[in-house]
Every structure is written in structure tokens, then in C-alpha cells.
Amino acid sequence: MSYNAIKKVFDLGDGRTIEIETGKLAKQADGSVVVKQGDTMLLATVVSSPEAKEGVDFLPLSVDYQEKYASTGRIPGGFLRREARLSDYEVLISRLVDRALRPLFPEDYHADTQVMISLISADKDIMPDCLAGLAASAALAVSDIPFNGPISEVRVAKIDGQLVINPTRSDLERATLEFIVAGSEFDINMVEGEAKEIQEEELVEAIKFAHEAIKVQVQVQRELAAEVGKTEKRIYSHEHSNEELKKQVYAATYDKVYEVAKSGSSKHERHQKLREIRDIFIATLGIEIDAVTESLIKKYFHDVEYDAVRNLILDEDLRLDGRNSKQIRPIWSEVGYLPAAHGSAVFTRGETQSLTTVTLGAKDDEQMIDGAFINGYQKFILHYNFPGFSTGEVRPNRGAGRREIGHGNLAMRSLKQVLPVEDENPYTIRVVSDILESNGSSSMATVCAGTLALMDAGIKLQAPVSGIAMGLITNPEGTKYAVLSDILGDEDHLGDMDFKVTGTEKGIVACQMDLKINGLSYEVLAKALHQAKDGRLHILNEMKKTIAEPREDYKPHAPRIVTIKIDKEFIGAVIGPGGKIIQEMQRETGATISIEEVNNQGIVQIFADNKASIDQAVTRIRNIAAKPEIGEIYEGKVKSIMPFGAFVEIMPGKDGLLHISEIDHKRFESMDGIFQVGDEVRVKLLDVDKQGKLKLSRKALLPKPEKPAQESK
């Protein structure tokens, strides 16, 4: 049996090459490719059903990225020892690819479509996430599935002052900015990443640089599709239409919808009025309508909403809640709302509200990351929860979904940039944002509430961070546009862009952009960024009215951590055989103690909710790890008695010999009756020999007896 593989190779511009191959693996999928750079290999497949399901009026697209543990020569942990549900890291990469692909499928294509990307071989220094979008798009390119691509994704980073495409993992540690950028040969449609307080112009420059690399990768995919012979796509018909009904819906409802949009009513009131307009129109038809007609009416009515809201903004600079394009909704915030939490804040902007808590933990509370490609520990954790009641809906609580993971990650990346440096923060920090109300950009509310809660907890942030979501409305001709600050949920849904930007007073620390249209110019992008800066600074000033800087100290009930360093040789002594010593100390002091070796030193972290426990544990550890010093005086305890002297413990685990001749100035013939085991005795360390044996003296601490007076001659 043979196969007819087709391969394309291109250069990243610095001698590194990427290879795309099709026709060798997974040939029963509609499209499949293997993308390879170094030893990293991704298998991407795509399958789309021949027909759409009845009644489906959207694209049921699923994108899954999964890492095979065998790719890095590892066996999965856990009871089953096999790959399980996607990790948060895999979900985040899946979202990056999904957000890049989804806008480029035809609007009327509604067939079930599944994209699967698997890491099948891994080079530890070559990041697979920046290759996943290329692999997925290439699989679509060699299929007959309708797709207005190709697209690609690249990572752009600034390392040592230079912009680099797809840097190695080791080089990325020195980056001052790092973004994943996706787009076609003409436009950018997705950006996500973080930075160290950069300026707006620097971000635009990085995106332009990334786009040039994307153009090369798109052209390679076009050449691959041509060689495979898949330039013609399948014919489909997934939508019913009724132009006469569409005209009826527009004629009967547009003006009424426009007036509701212009009324500045609340979200729930507005939605209720719009439902009434639609239901009244259906009633005026005076006939029993079938499911297809009802579906068409809902679709056309949505189109009416879309046009009315956008025209209101473009023609009158008026938005659904009565604001103009640059205004920010009213803000109020409060810190210390939860008395038992280590830090807490409520942040409310318009109809969006976050209740955020901060919990301070010990090293043992660090989150373990056990992935095929990335594994280790992280001491800053942020979780985002979005319950149904926040939007007035009944929705089962099934744990965090992809949206929650993605929104939490954006907030985490933002706050991570301003945390204290490692040596100044001994805590594991968990931030939890519970969204209590939502009408636009709850992830940005999480950033703001997270900043306030961290400062309330006494964490010494380098600078406070705020965030804002920007929107965009354009006319069909592309001749008119409006950039919107602090968008509502409906403006996100009906608009052309969702651009979230977070930063300090000095610059941008993170951003996430999703674009739904073609043709965003860099001029408009720059305008959106500068308008976002004005909004961010306004929000930051409002936050400072509540708390301007971190509290001087932690809350009285917050746990305390002391970190001490000991010589490497004492690590075993602190732990004890089978952990006996450290467990005994934890049990008797009530403190939590962890120890690890770093740079040939033992780093001991002592964690407790009261000072007495910490002081007691510190004393015991220092006693174990202290080195006896010649000339020092110690309060010792007799451990054993021998004919020639007594062995006295002057520190935990450190015994010295108190020779019979060093007990007193007078001479003893034997040790009988001088000491009992357990007696306390004060001694001086005279010497430590080459074998480490300690020579003690009690006599040296006693006054010398006076010599008897000489008799007269």
C-alpha cells in the first residue's frame, strides 16, 4: 500500500523552517495535515457533515486541541493513566483557534463541523500553540469545506528589544510583550496576549509585524490546496428564505425597534419591548404559522435589531443606554465587603458587577500543572464564575466552561504583570471573581475588582490595573465607523469588534481582540487603542476613590508567612527520617512548614495564622540548622553518661563530649553521682575537631578557686 503525500516547506525568515504535509495520515477526514517544526508535530483534522440539521440557523463548530502525553515521553497521572478531559491550557489554545476560524465560515453554512488538533510529538523549546491555527486552517484548505480563508496564527514577542515570530520557549522568558495574532492575508481578526506596560504604538507595531508573517503562511496554504486540487468547495443550501416576508418584517417593525433602541431603557426592559414588537407582528399575520416561517421571522427581526442599533450609533452617536460613543457607564466600588475574607471587593459598572475575593495560602497551596507539554507549579491563581442569575437566566451549574476559563485567563494575565516580585511575595494567591450581574465585559470588571481586592488584602502591587472593552460599528460600505467605549452585551453581539484592553497608568499589560468583519485598518485600530486608554484611566481614577494603594499590612485574621534560609546539609535534619521531625513540629506548633532546595540552599516556609506558632517553629528550625560556634555558651542536656565523661546535647541532634576533666576545677575519680541523664547543664564549646566532634567544658564557666595562703617561714 502506498500514499501520495504532498509537502510544503517555508522559512520563518531566520533559518527556522516549518513543514506542512497532507495525504499521509487520517485520510478519511475531509481534510488532514501534519505541521512540523523541529521535533514538534501537530496533526490537524477537519470533518463537516454533508447536510445541516433541520432548524439549525448557526454554525455548530467545535474546535479541540489536545496534547498526547506520549509526545513528550510521559505517562499521564491519575488513576486511569490516560488522557482525560481537556486541561485549561488545552481549552485556551482551542479557543484561540476557534476565534480565528469562526468568523471566516460563510454566514449561511450550518453543518456540524469539527476541527481536532493533536500534539503528537513535542520539542520542549518549540511552543505548539502558535502552530495550532496554521494546522487547523491548512486542514480546511485541503478539504472541500466552504471557508473564506486560509488564515494563520503566529506568536509575536519583543525579546532584547527585537520583534520575533514564534520565539523559543526559553527566549520567551525575556519577552517584554507577547501576543498570539491571527488573520488572513488581508486582515487581522484575533489578538490575545500580555505585555509589560507598553504603549499603544508598540502594540500596533507588533501586530503589523505579525501580519507580515501571516501573509507568508497563508500563501503557502493556497499553494498546498492547489496541489491537492481542493480549490473548489462543496455546494450547499442550508437556509430557507422569503424575501416578501423579510420586507414585511422590516416595514412593520424597523421604526418601532429604532425608537426602543433610542429610549435608553435597561437591558431587561428593552428586551421585553422588543419581544412585544415581534409578537404583535406575528399576531397581525392572522394565520397559523409553521416552524419554518416562525424561524424566518425571528431571523429577519434580528436583522432589524442589527440595522436599527447600528444606524442609531452611526447617525446620531447614540447608544442603547443613552450614552455617546466615548462615555463610560457609572462606576461604584467597595473593598473589605466580606469581613472573613483575606481581601474582597465589589466592582460595579453599569449593569455589570463582580464580587471578588483574595485568599492567601502557603507553598503547599500552589496549583500543580500536569500537562504533556507544560508541567510545574504556579502560585497565582484566578478563577472566574458566571452563574445564570447574573443575566436573569435559569442555567444549571456544571462548573467552568470554555468561556469562563478564557475570561479568567485574560484577567489572570493582566494582574500577573503587577504582582510583587518573587522574593517580596511569599504567598500563594487565589483570586475568585463571581459575576453577580452581567451586561458587557465582565472580564474587565474582574480585572478591576481583582486589583481592588488584592490591594485590600495588603498585596503590594507594583501598580493598579483597570480594563475596558471597546467595540466597533461600521456601515456596509466601510466609509463610516464608530469606536465604542465600554460596550454593552448587545453592542458586542450586534457590533463588529470586541477589543478588551487592560493596563496601568504607564501602559498596556494585556489585550484580547475579536473582529467579526474584514478590513480593519491600522488607523482605526490605533484610534480604538487611544480611546481605550482614556477609558482605562477614567476607570482607574474611579477605583482610586475607593482605595488608592495597597494596605500597609495584611488583615489581622490573614495567615502570616516567614521564609528562612538554611544550609543545604540541614534539610534532611529538619525533615527527619520519613518526615518525622517536620511532622512533629507542625503538630506541636500548629504551623504549616514546607522546605525545598533552591540554588544549594534550603528554603523553609513557615505558614500560620498567629505569631506565636510561627515564632515557635522558627526557633526549632533555627536550632536544628544552626552551626555550633567555638566560644559560645549553650544550655545543654545530658544525653548519656560514660566512664570518661558525659555527652551533652547543646542543639537538636548535636551532642558534644563533656570530659570528666572539664566538669569542675577539682578532680573526679569517676562519673558516679555527678550527673543524671536529662540533667540540664551550662557548657562552653571549646573546639570542633576535623571529624566534627565537639569538645565542651563546664569548668571554663566556673570561677577558679583561690590558692591557699602560703605559711610563714
Side-chain angles (χ1 to χ4, degrees), residues 112-280:
D112 278 317
T113 304
Q114 183 180 40
V115 177
M116 297 184 69
I117 310 143
S118 300
L119 178 66
I120 56 176
S121 177
D123 182 321
K124 280 294 187 181
D125 214 26
I126 296 176
M127 303 285 284
D129 54 352
C130 54
L131 302 174
L134 167 63
S137 177
L140 283 163
V142 299
S143 76
D144 67 345
I145 299 169
F147 182 64
N148 298 322
I151 60 96
S152 193
E153 287 180 340
V154 299
R155 171 177 277 108
V156 58
K158 180 167 280 189
I159 300 168
D160 301 331
Q162 299 295 317
L163 290 172
V164 180
I165 296 297
N166 294 356
T168 61
R169 186 179 178 187
S170 54
D171 285 343
L172 201 56
E173 295 173 1
R174 306 195 309 277
T176 55
L177 65 81
E178 179 245 316
F179 295 96
I180 294 283
V181 181
S184 67
E185 61 187 312
F186 305 110
D187 303 298
I188 294 298
N189 69 352
M190 196 280 299
V191 178
E192 179 163 332
E194 59 191 75
K196 299 187 183 301
E197 297 179 300
I198 63 170
Q199 300 306 302
E200 286 68 19
E201 291 75 16
E202 198 171 353
L203 175 55
V204 174
E205 178 192 16
I207 293 173
K208 286 181 178 179
F209 188 79
H211 197 196
E212 292 305 311
I214 287 170
K215 292 175 184 178
V216 173
Q217 299 184 15
V218 166
Q219 182 56 35
V220 171
Q221 292 177 67
R222 291 196 183 281
E223 295 170 3
L224 181 67
E227 289 190 36
V228 173
K230 290 292 184 180
T231 54
E232 294 295 326
K233 302 301 180 180
R234 68 178 67 165
I235 297 173
Y236 64 94
S237 179
H238 293 168
E239 285 192 353
H240 299 282
S241 62
N242 185 329
E243 287 301 316
E244 184 60 36
L245 180 61
K246 183 176 182 179
K247 291 177 183 178
Q248 281 183 267
V249 173
Y250 263 79
T253 65
Y254 180 85
D255 290 342
K256 297 175 183 177
V257 170
Y258 192 92
E259 287 305 312
V260 171
K262 193 175 180 178
S263 66
S265 53
S266 68
K267 181 177 76 170
H268 289 295
E269 183 183 356
R270 182 170 64 251
H271 288 180
Q272 179 62 34
K273 289 179 179 179
L274 291 173
R275 276 195 299 269
E276 289 174 0
I277 294 172
R278 188 188 66 195
D279 292 344
I280 290 171

Side-chain angles (χ1 to χ4, degrees), residues 360-362 365 427 559-562 590-593 605-609 614:
L360 306 179
D365 295 311
Y427 289 105
R560 305 295 164 130
I561 291 181
V562 169
T592 299
I593 304 169
Q605 193 181 81
I606 306 158
F607 177 92
D609 58 6
I614 287 182

Side-chain angles (χ1 to χ4, degrees), residues 49 156 331 394 453-454 463 477 525 596 669:
S49 299
V156 58
I331 293 169
V394 177
L454 285 164
E477 297 78 25
L525 177 61
E596 63 177 341
E669 296 297 331

Side-chain angles (χ1 to χ4, degrees), residues 52-53 55-61 102 106-112 238-239:
K53 293 178 181 177
V56 174
D57 60 354
F58 62 94
L59 174 65
L61 172 67
R102 192 176 292 272
E107 289 186 6
D108 59 350
Y109 188 70
H110 302 152
D112 278 317
H238 293 168
E239 285 192 353

Side-chain angles (χ1 to χ4, degrees), residues 273-323:
K273 289 179 179 179
L274 291 173
R275 276 195 299 269
E276 289 174 0
I277 294 172
R278 188 188 66 195
D279 292 344
I280 290 171
F281 169 77
I282 292 174
T284 61
L285 295 178
I287 57 172
E288 188 74 25
I289 60 173
D290 56 28
V292 172
T293 303
E294 183 178 2
S295 175
L296 286 174
I297 290 173
K298 290 180 179 179
K299 177 182 181 300
Y300 296 147
F301 188 75
H302 178 271
D303 293 342
V304 170
E305 290 182 61
Y306 181 86
D307 288 342
V309 170
R310 294 166 69 89
N311 289 338
L312 176 66
I313 293 170
L314 290 173
D315 296 340
E316 302 188 42
D317 192 24
L318 189 62
R319 297 162 66 179
L320 289 169
D321 57 358
R323 290 179 291 151

Side-chain angles (χ1 to χ4, degrees), residues 21-27 29-34 43-46 138-139 142:
E21 181 183 68
T22 187
K24 187 172 183 178
L25 301 184
K27 291 185 289 183
D30 289 331
S32 71
V33 299
V34 172
L43 168 65
T45 61
V46 59
V142 299

